[in-house]
């Protein structure tokens, strides 16, 4: 069998919410198989394996990384475990797909990127929204000058998470494990789209608060972001919004406004330029009950193709690190209540 036709096998470390989405997406990609799963709670790994016919179950992520006959490992654990499991996978010569946030700190992200580079393996970080037609339309509209001179951007994340969200997975409420709250877990998706469209901000100013949930991390964040060319960004993010509404990124220029909104990968796009409607809009699904598998599948397929053709994936480690760098700058500003300069340059990590 030729290399291109051999099944591409994934092993999953972490069998929680993200794992279900990954399995659903991987199963839609021809030539891709989910071969193994590991979880610190073995019953979770066994349950996922039996639901989806995954042949091998491992008692630990390290054992899977070392012993499973897989081409790549998907790291789907709490954020503070991304670095050790990516390291283990890289040491074993497995390619790595890691969920957002790439790591719980920028320093951990740098170590993780360096480990993959040192072992010559391909690293991609999940930001599935970039693979939606709506997000691409937003980026193209701005890049093609469709809004005229851009002067304002707004990231609005009015989500709601019930107490059970933190009780079932307590790491989500712990700073040392998640790295942060609504900025790190929810808003990071829209922050990724924001810098993808406008480039990295030069500096940020932020406040964070824990207003409703009984957790260490913030459930409310507000901020300002200053971009090249005099574009001002405003950010508001909370997991305590009642009622919740679809998160959005809105870009305003002197000739129009464009907006993406939606959650779970169901993103819509709206463009208002004052010109008669010209069919560019993509309707946002108002209340999706299941995540959209297509954007995930598109990103995973890009990763598999990157490994097979020896090219970098669209969202490589350096690219996945950028949203974390912005989030980190927002946290540092919230600590000092002062503007913080954003340093987008990885310390020593070349692209891979
Ligand atoms: N891209 C998205 O839209 C999206 C959606 C959900 C979650 N995520 C990301 O996926 C990752 C996991 O989040 P989740 O919501 O699935 O969390 P979760 O708590 O539902 O699942 C995490 C799993 O990791 C397991 N685990 C904990 N410690 C472990 C260890 N030492 N070794 C092996 N397994 C261990 C837990 O038992 C649990 O089953 C995070 O990075 C999160 O941000 C991304």
């Amino acid at each position: 069998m030729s290399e291109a036709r051999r099944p591409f096998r994934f092993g999953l470390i972490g069998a929680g919410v993200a794992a279900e989405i990954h399995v659903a997406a991987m199963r839609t990609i021809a030539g891709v198989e989910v071969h193994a799963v590991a979880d610190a709670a073995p019953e979770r790994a066994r349950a996922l394996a039996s639901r989806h016919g995954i042949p091998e179950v491992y008692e630990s992520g390290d054992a899977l990384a070392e012993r499973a006959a897989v081409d790549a490992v998907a790291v789907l654990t709490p954020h503070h475990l991304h670095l050790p499991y990516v390291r283990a996978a890289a040491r074993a010569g497995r390619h790595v797909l890691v969920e957002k946030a790439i790591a719980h700190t920028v320093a951990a992200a740098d170590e993780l990127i360096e480990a993959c580079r040192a072992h010559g393996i391909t690293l991609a970080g999940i930001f599935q929204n970039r693979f939606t037609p709506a997000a691409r339309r937003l980026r193209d509209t701005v890049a093609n000058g469709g809004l005229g001179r851009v002067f304002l951007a707004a990231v609005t994340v009015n989500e709601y998470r019930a107490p059970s969200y933190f009780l079932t997975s307590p790491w989500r409420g712990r700073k040392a494990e998640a790295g942060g709250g609504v900025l790190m877990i929810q808003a990071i998706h829209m922050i990724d789209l924001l810098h993808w469209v406008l480039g990295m901000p030069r500096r940020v100013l932020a406040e964070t608060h824990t207003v409703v949930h009984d957790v260490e991390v913030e459930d409310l964040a507000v901020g300002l972001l200053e971009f090249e060319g005099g574009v001002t960004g405003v950010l508001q993010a909370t997991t305590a919004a009642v009622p919740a509404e679809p998160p959005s990124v809105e870009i305003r220029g002197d000739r129009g406004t464009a907006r993406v909104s939606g959650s779970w990968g169901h993103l819509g796009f709206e463009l208002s330029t004052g010109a008669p409607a010209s069919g560019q809009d993509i309707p946002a699904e108002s209340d999706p009950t299941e995540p959209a598998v297509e954007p995930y599948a598109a990103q995973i397929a890009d990763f598999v193709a990157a490994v097979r053709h020896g090219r970098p994936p669209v969202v490589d480690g350096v690219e996945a690190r950028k949203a974390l760098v912005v989030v980190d700058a927002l946290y540092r500003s919230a600590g000092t209540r002062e503007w913080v300069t954003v340093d987008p340059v990885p310390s020593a990590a070349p692209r891979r």
Side-chain angles (χ1 to χ4, degrees):
M1 208 181 268
S2 74
E3 177 67 17
R5 291 173 63 87
R6 192 175 64 77
F8 188 99
R9 286 178 164 179
F10 276 100
L12 313 182
I13 303 181
V17 171
E20 285 289 346
I21 315 174
H22 277 257
V23 174
M26 286 169 184
R27 295 177 74 169
T28 68
I29 308 170
V32 167
E33 292 176 0
V34 184
H35 184 72
V37 57
D39 196 294
E43 68 285 359
R44 287 199 186 193
R46 280 196 296 271
L48 190 83
S50 79
R51 269 198 302 283
H52 300 290
I54 301 168
E56 293 185 0
V57 175
Y58 287 82
E59 71 283 6
S60 79
D62 286 339
L64 182 149
E66 280 158 29
R67 304 207 302 267
V70 295
D71 300 285
V73 166
V75 177
L76 315 173
T77 60
H79 298 162
H80 67 302
L81 300 170
H82 289 186
L83 170 61
Y85 284 133
V86 170
R87 257 206 218 113
R91 258 198 315 265
R94 321 289 183 195
H95 303 287
V96 178
L97 187 61
V98 61
E99 258 294 354
K100 53 52 73 172
I102 184 170
H104 65 308
T105 64
V106 174
D110 287 342
E111 276 191 60
L112 182 162
I113 291 168
E114 174 53 22
C116 294
R117 190 204 59 77
H119 290 280
I121 59 111
T122 299
L123 167 67
I126 288 283
F127 274 119
Q128 77 273 19
N129 288 336
R130 286 204 200 184
F131 291 76
T132 60
R136 263 190 236 110
R137 201 74 75 76
L138 179 70
R139 190 171 193 243
D140 291 348
T141 301
V142 172
N144 298 337
L147 303 181
R149 192 176 64 78
V150 170
F151 59 90
L152 182 63
V155 166
T156 310
V157 178
N158 284 323
E159 299 218 46
Y160 177 73
R161 292 295 182 273
S164 60
Y165 173 80
F166 297 103
L167 291 171
T168 52
S169 293
W171 69 269
R172 294 172 177 150
R174 295 181 185 137
K175 180 79 178 167
E177 297 176 25
V182 64
L183 286 175
M184 189 70 125
I185 302 184
Q186 282 82 22
I188 196 166
H189 283 291
M190 293 294 153
I191 290 170
D192 182 63
L193 294 186
L194 182 70
H195 81 69
W196 190 50
V197 170
L198 292 182
M200 289 291 273
R202 280 196 304 223
R203 54 181 201 146
V204 301
L205 179 67
E207 279 186 25
T208 59
H209 303 278
T210 307
V211 288
V212 168
H213 293 102
D214 184 17
V215 290
E216 285 170 24
V217 297
E218 85 286 356
D219 57 9
L220 171 65
V222 293
L224 290 174
L225 304 95
E226 189 183 278
F227 292 87
E228 291 294 330
V231 182
T232 299
V234 294
L235 174 147
Q236 183 223 300
T238 181
T239 45
V242 180
E245 58 187 43
S248 65
V249 178
E250 190 172 83
I251 312 282
R252 290 183 185 270
D254 59 6
R255 297 214 330 258
T257 299
R259 191 167 189 267
V260 290
S261 62
S263 51
W264 293 74
H266 297 273
L267 262 55
F269 173 78
E270 295 159 68
L271 178 64
S272 321
T273 59
S278 49
Q280 302 104 323
D281 289 5
I282 301 171
E285 207 167 315
S286 55
D287 200 7
T289 52
E290 290 288 327
V293 162
E294 296 81 6
Y296 263 100
Q299 182 165 15
I300 295 167
D302 170 73
F303 170 72
V304 172
V307 170
R308 283 188 161 147
H309 302 301
R311 62 152 171 90
V314 169
V315 188
D316 63 8
V318 172
E319 199 55 32
R321 175 187 184 274
K322 289 180 179 173
L324 175 65
V325 166
V326 177
V327 167
D328 172 69
L330 290 164
Y331 284 138
R332 285 189 288 127
S333 172
T336 60
R337 297 281 170 97
E338 288 181 357
W339 284 92
V340 165
T341 302
V342 177
D343 173 16
V345 184
S347 44
R351 293 184 76 87
R352 175 76 204 176

